[in-house]
Amino acid sequence: MTAASAAWWQRGVVYQIYPRSFQDSTGDGIGDLRGIERRLDYLTELGVDAIWISPICRSPMADFGYDVADYCDIDPRFGTLSDFDSLLTAAHARDLRVVLDFVPNHTSSEHPWFIESRSSRDNPRRDWYVWHDAAPGGGPPNNWISDFGGSSWEWDEATGQYYLHAFLKEQPDLNWRNPAVRDAMYEVLRFWFARGVDGFRIDVLWHLVKAEGFPDNPPNPAYRAGMGEMHRVQQLHSTDQPEVHAIASEMRRIADAYGERLLIGEIYLPIERLMHYYGRDTAGVHLPFNFQLIDAPWNARGLAAMIAEYEAALPPGAWPNWVLGNHDRPRIAAKLGEAQARVAAMLLLTLRGTPTIYYGDELGIGHVEIPPAQVQDPRELREPGLGLGRDPVRTPMPWDATPNAGFTTGAPWLPLSADWADRNVARLRKEPGSMLSLHRRLLALRRAHPALSIGDMALLDGVEAAPDVLAYERRHGDERLLVALNLGSAPQELALPAWARHARPLLSTLESAAAPSAERIVLRPDEGIVLARTSAA
Ligand code: GLC
């Protein structure tokens, strides 16, 4: 691959925006599209290539936009279609791509399709959703459990059947076995592609098709109280059915018809099953999201094994990708603390494959405590106290030290991070050693070095002497870089491979420069470095 032959989404870095929390322009305490447009220069200055915006379509917001009532309109809280067009034009003028969230597994219960579907058993749209009679003795048709707890089936008194919902009862599952549903949803993709969007992140792609006959899911032997009720059973029959791949391929064909567009699939599955979503005989999505870093044990051996396993599993021609956080999972700095979150940022931005950065992680936002009275997330409200709530990772972006961190002139819909007066964009961009400055430098480095953006990668063997060090090489043409990350809090000495001796330090995660390298280098506690082979070596 050359810089010219690589697609934008291979060379580039994606930045996820949770639109309710990025920038409010109206004073209602909720972020919106005009707010995002106002902040585009921040994103280009940061150095990302694309934004993925979580759902902005018309929605009653039972699950904050993941319950869509009109796929071809913008929710008034976020703005209008013309605000969207303006944002898209402004983004493209800055060479920034725009990826939208596509929520195909379920609609809102207020979507006109569902209102028709539940109006009577013989309504033409009845079969657009998954309806089923009660079990012979009464009660739900099977033991499937909603991801948000409780049965996946909701009784509809008026028509005397249950409907399926993998998430909230306000999010009825569409019946993707019905060709009319497929056609209608593909029209949605075409609507936005024609408008100029550069791609979609496809919500819960692996959920779309359910096993014929709706057999019970097997119990999960690993289930323990406190895990969240969904884990009582294994989602063997309710997710990841073979028929889903034909659907992914159809979506891919539609995307390809519009030129270089991107499809990212949200899929939480073990590696071998995940790989199938790249497609086999026909192409699937470009990037099945790789969430392994989110749950990874934070040690050098574990990470090295995980990276090796993922790289080895990639089908020929498949492009890797990496994610450290999103709007559903705890923030990386909350889990690791800032010192290791900096090392994690270097890892994310130097691994082979497209990285996705979650808004606010570039500031090192940690855990945000949400007082019980302010909880918004239905996940937390349905199964409180288990630590499953997602509000802590969805708090407003702290821009500066003015009231409400410059996010809104009104009352923010979720509390700000406790340290916002210090940890905000205006402050951190002035500090050369800040988390934000580190991100900017890493992104600039990635852009300047094809070895990082599109090069090959090899994990370095022979680091047994430094058990806390994860080291790898990135290579493209004549360029050869070494990345070495100290995952521990003690200094680590590392013997360099012959080619990297006397290599030139390009960047350290610590404020002061990395030591010039010789035959051995000592990584300071929590230090990650990037070295470049000098032409003499
Ligand atoms: C995905 C989204 C999550 C949402 C769920 C239901 O996992 O990321 O936020 O609640 O799907 O749409």
Side-chain angles (χ1 to χ4, degrees):
M1 180 179 301
T2 65
S5 71
W8 64 265
W9 52 267
Q10 293 176 305
R11 294 186 305 268
V13 176
V14 179
Y15 181 93
Q16 181 189 354
I17 292 179
Y18 195 68
R20 290 181 74 87
S21 295
F22 203 58
Q23 177 67 60
D24 177 19
S25 74
T26 60
D28 66 355
I30 295 172
D32 47 49
L33 297 182
R34 286 191 184 190
I36 297 175
E37 184 173 341
R38 228 179 82 197
R39 295 298 184 179
L40 287 180
D41 286 336
Y42 166 73
L43 297 169
T44 45
E45 213 180 273
L46 179 62
V48 296
D49 301 271
I51 51 175
W52 149 37
I53 312 176
S54 283
I56 50 176
C57 287
R58 200 175 270 274
S59 163
M61 301 288 164
D63 191 19
F64 296 110
Y66 285 96
D67 48 324
V68 176
D70 184 345
Y71 287 96
C72 296
D73 200 6
I74 302 292
D75 191 90
R77 297 169 187 85
F78 295 130
T80 62
L81 273 173
S82 95
D83 292 334
F84 178 75
D85 291 339
S86 164
L87 169 62
L88 191 63
T89 308
H92 286 169
R94 289 165 176 80
D95 217 9
L96 207 56
R97 318 279 168 148
V98 177
V99 173
L100 290 187
D101 215 306
F102 180 49
V103 187
N105 178 67
H106 42 267
T107 69
S108 160
S109 52
E110 294 182 27
H111 195 294
W113 297 341
F114 188 68
I115 293 172
E116 284 182 45
S117 185
R118 77 186 310 175
S119 67
S120 77
R121 285 211 195 186
D122 51 15
N123 184 278
R125 291 208 210 270
R126 183 66 170 182
D127 189 46
W128 279 43
Y129 293 82
V130 184
W131 291 96
H132 207 287
D133 291 336
N142 66 21
N143 71 351
W144 294 2
I145 298 174
S146 149
D147 280 22
F148 293 157
S151 171
S152 288
W153 297 94
E154 179 70 12
W155 178 248
D156 181 57
E157 195 59 55
T159 59
Q161 279 190 315
Y162 283 92
Y163 67 84
L164 182 72
H165 57 92
F167 297 89
L168 299 174
K169 68 175 178 6
E170 292 83 2
Q171 295 167 294
D173 280 36
L174 281 163
N175 174 16
W176 275 82
R177 293 189 184 271
N178 182 337
V181 168
R182 294 215 284 269
D183 289 347
M185 292 303 278
Y186 297 156
E187 275 313 302
V188 172
L189 294 176
R190 294 192 185 97
F191 172 86
W192 292 105
F193 278 138
R195 237 179 161 89
V197 314
D198 299 285
F200 288 96
R201 172 266 191 191
I202 306 170
D203 192 61
V204 296
L205 176 58
W206 85 113
H207 272 261
L208 296 196
V209 185
K210 288 65 170 158
E212 212 95 66
F214 305 100
D216 273 350
N217 274 327
N220 174 10
Y223 174 74
R224 300 282 172 278
M227 279 172 106
E229 213 199 333
M230 64 174 282
H231 297 292
R232 277 184 191 280
V233 295
Q234 296 169 292
Q235 298 187 330
L236 184 70
H237 302 301
S238 49
T239 65
D240 195 33
Q241 297 303 297
E243 296 90 335
V244 73
H245 298 293
I247 295 172
S249 291
E250 284 170 2
M251 292 180 182
R252 173 64 177 267
R253 262 208 312 280
I254 293 166
D256 285 349
Y258 290 86
E260 212 174 73
R261 310 288 168 114
L262 168 65
L263 295 180
I264 307 175
E266 186 209 15
I267 301 144
Y268 284 92
L269 283 176
I271 299 249
E272 349 58 85
R273 306 199 70 102
L274 179 70
M275 292 301 161
H276 198 167
Y277 287 76
Y278 278 108
R280 293 217 167 134
D281 304 328
T282 50
V285 296
H286 301 83
L287 301 176
F289 255 147
N290 167 19
F291 295 125
Q292 289 187 92
L293 284 178
I294 294 185
D295 292 315
W298 205 250
N299 64 72
R301 296 274 163 78
L303 286 176
M306 191 197 81
I307 295 165
E309 189 199 1
Y310 176 72
E311 282 276 348
L314 286 167
W319 188 251
N321 77 91
W322 298 93
V323 181
L324 274 181
N326 60 36
H327 63 293
D328 295 326
R329 308 301 306 274
R331 283 198 181 269
I332 186 77
K335 282 190 299 189
L336 302 179
E338 178 164 338
Q340 275 300 313
R342 294 169 73 97
V343 175
M346 182 172 272
L347 175 67
L348 175 72
L349 296 173
T350 58
L351 278 170
R352 189 176 87 92
T354 307
T356 300
I357 299 175
Y358 185 52
Y359 91 97
D361 279 355
E362 78 275 28
L363 307 178
I365 296 177
H367 178 69
V368 183
E369 205 50 51
I370 309 291
Q374 292 184 56
V375 169
Q376 303 280 341
D377 182 17
R379 182 97 179 81
E380 177 68 23
L381 292 169
R382 290 180 54 84
E383 294 186 272
L386 303 181
L388 301 171
R390 302 167 298 178
D391 292 330
V393 304
R394 298 175 173 182
T395 58
M397 181 78 171
W399 293 102
D400 54 41
T402 64
N404 292 322
F407 164 69
T408 180
T409 54
W413 76 288
L414 274 177
L416 294 158
S417 30
D419 57 357
W420 66 271
D422 297 317
R423 193 181 294 282
N424 60 58
V425 170
R427 170 98 173 242
L428 297 193
R429 69 204 286 272
K430 282 192 252 148
E431 292 173 8
S434 71
M435 184 69 148
L436 179 57
S437 300
L438 174 65
H439 274 82
R440 286 171 61 170
R441 286 155 70 201
L442 280 165
L443 286 159
L445 197 70
R446 192 176 171 95
R447 197 175 287 271
H449 294 274
L452 290 178
S453 54
I454 56 168
D456 298 335
M457 168 165 160
L459 287 160
L460 229 67
D461 294 331
V463 287
E464 283 79 11
D468 279 344
V469 176
L470 172 66
Y472 45 92
E473 177 188 341
R474 298 298 314 273
R475 186 175 195 167
H476 186 262
D478 289 341
E479 192 176 46
R480 221 165 162 183
L481 306 183
L482 182 110
V483 181
L485 308 173
N486 183 355
L487 274 72
S489 51
Q492 296 281 319
E493 190 171 311
L494 173 68
L496 293 174
W499 67 266
R501 288 180 192 152
H502 308 289
R504 178 168 56 97
L506 294 179
L507 185 58
S508 164
T509 56
L510 300 182
E511 195 164 349
S512 52
S517 89
E519 301 201 347
R520 313 179 71 75
I521 50 167
V522 176
L523 290 170
R524 291 168 282 177
D526 303 307
E527 180 174 33
I529 55 164
V530 183
L531 303 173
R533 176 174 65 167
T534 49
S535 40

